[in-house]
Amino acid sequence: MIEQAEVLDALRNKILSDPEVILEDQDLMRALIDANERSLGGNIVDLRGIAMERLESRLDRLEDTHRSVIAAAYENLAGTNLIHNAILKVLEPTDFPAFLTTLSGDLLESLRVSRLRLILESKEHDSPSIGFEDVLSIVEPGVVDHYITAGRDIPVRPVSLRQVSPASEDVYGDNAAYIKSEALLRLDLGQGRLPALLVMGSEDPHQFRPNQGTDLLTFFGAAFERAIKRWLA
């Protein structure tokens, strides 16, 4: 009994000297509140206990929000790093064939997409894309905007994200059946030139959705425009 009394006395002194040990332990605080309610009986409303429960609930919600904010920050950082790495890949080639080869190799991996395709409008749309049919299409004027809007009378945005089912065989060829979402980057190649389109296709139906932000892809599209202008000069 003496040892038990000494332990209880030591515990009491510890709590009195550092009460935050109790306050920061949710399980311990809940046990104390429950014991207090039992001692009060069923006919007494413990306003302090109710306030504590509400405060605890608000704290839980705050912690959930905090975790969500941190997760979103990490996701944004990862997306930024991915786009920065992809831009470096775009700037590496020293000639146009090497630039096009990047679309089916390094750039494809950097952007973590299934297919990339560059669509160039030309008044001479029968121009050949010898050796690069998998990544390059030469089309007649108006095709880019028509593909972005799907023929609807809506504004043409620099970046459009959407889920597709089925995907266009004209764009993806034999791989159309596997493409479930796509990002469309409309490229402004400068005054007096027809527009172009960079298509990113993904097998993941949730990778590109209309409700996602487009800031990073808009930045990538601007960098891609500047890179391709070097070879079309």
Side-chain angles (χ1 to χ4, degrees):
M1 295 294 293
I2 296 177
E3 291 183 358
Q4 184 177 1
E6 291 177 350
V7 171
L8 292 175
D9 189 55
L11 179 59
R12 181 176 182 276
N13 291 333
K14 173 62 177 175
I15 294 173
L16 290 175
S17 63
D18 188 11
E20 291 185 0
V21 172
I22 299 291
L23 296 174
E24 293 178 354
D25 191 317
Q26 291 189 15
D27 293 334
L28 189 54
M29 286 296 297
R30 188 178 295 109
L32 291 173
I33 291 172
D34 290 343
N36 183 54
E37 289 177 348
R38 288 194 297 271
S39 68
L40 291 174
N43 296 325
I44 299 176
V45 178
D46 182 7
L47 297 179
R48 180 179 297 179
I50 294 174
M52 287 293 292
E53 288 180 359
R54 291 180 178 176
L55 183 61
E56 184 178 278
S57 177
R58 293 175 62 184
L59 178 60
D60 289 340
R61 291 197 299 269
L62 182 61
E63 289 181 346
D64 289 340
T65 301
H66 182 61
R67 283 192 291 268
S68 298
V69 170
I70 291 177
Y74 274 113
E75 185 177 347
N76 289 337
L77 180 60
T80 300
N81 290 338
L82 183 147
I83 292 298
H84 286 173
N85 183 58
I87 289 174
L88 291 178
K89 298 298 182 183
V90 167
L91 298 177
E92 286 178 1
T94 56
D95 55 56
F96 193 53
F99 180 80
L100 293 177
T101 300
T102 301
L103 298 184
S104 59
D106 292 344
L107 188 57
L108 198 69
E109 296 177 3
S110 295
L111 291 170
R112 299 176 186 173
V113 295
S114 304
R115 288 293 305 274
L116 282 173
R117 192 164 188 87
L118 177 61
I119 299 175
L120 296 176
E121 288 189 355
S122 172
K123 294 179 180 178
E124 300 176 1
H125 58 275
D126 292 330
S127 301
S129 52
I130 300 174
F132 298 101
E133 290 81 5
D134 287 344
V135 295
L136 177 64
S137 292
I138 308 298
V139 299
E140 63 186 8
V143 168
V144 166
D145 288 352
H146 185 273
Y147 184 73
I148 293 174
T149 63
R152 295 171 295 171
D153 185 18
I154 58 176
V156 178
R157 295 174 294 180
V159 177
S160 298
L161 309 178
R162 65 192 183 193
Q163 295 167 307
V164 289
S165 182
S168 171
E169 292 186 3
D170 291 337
V171 174
Y172 299 105
D174 295 338
N175 296 304
Y178 305 104
I179 302 300
K180 302 302 180 184
S181 64
E182 64 183 4
L184 309 177
L185 279 61
R186 190 181 190 276
L187 308 175
D188 182 357
L189 303 182
Q191 187 174 2
R193 289 188 176 139
L194 294 171
L197 180 67
L198 179 64
V199 182
M200 302 179 183
S202 174
E203 297 179 15
D204 181 358
H206 303 293
Q207 183 163 353
F208 300 118
R209 302 189 308 273
N211 61 343
Q212 292 174 325
T214 60
D215 290 350
L216 287 175
L217 286 177
T218 299
F219 178 65
F220 176 76
F224 193 91
E225 283 177 352
R226 286 158 175 76
I228 197 174
K229 282 179 183 178
R230 294 183 299 169
W231 314 120
L232 299 181

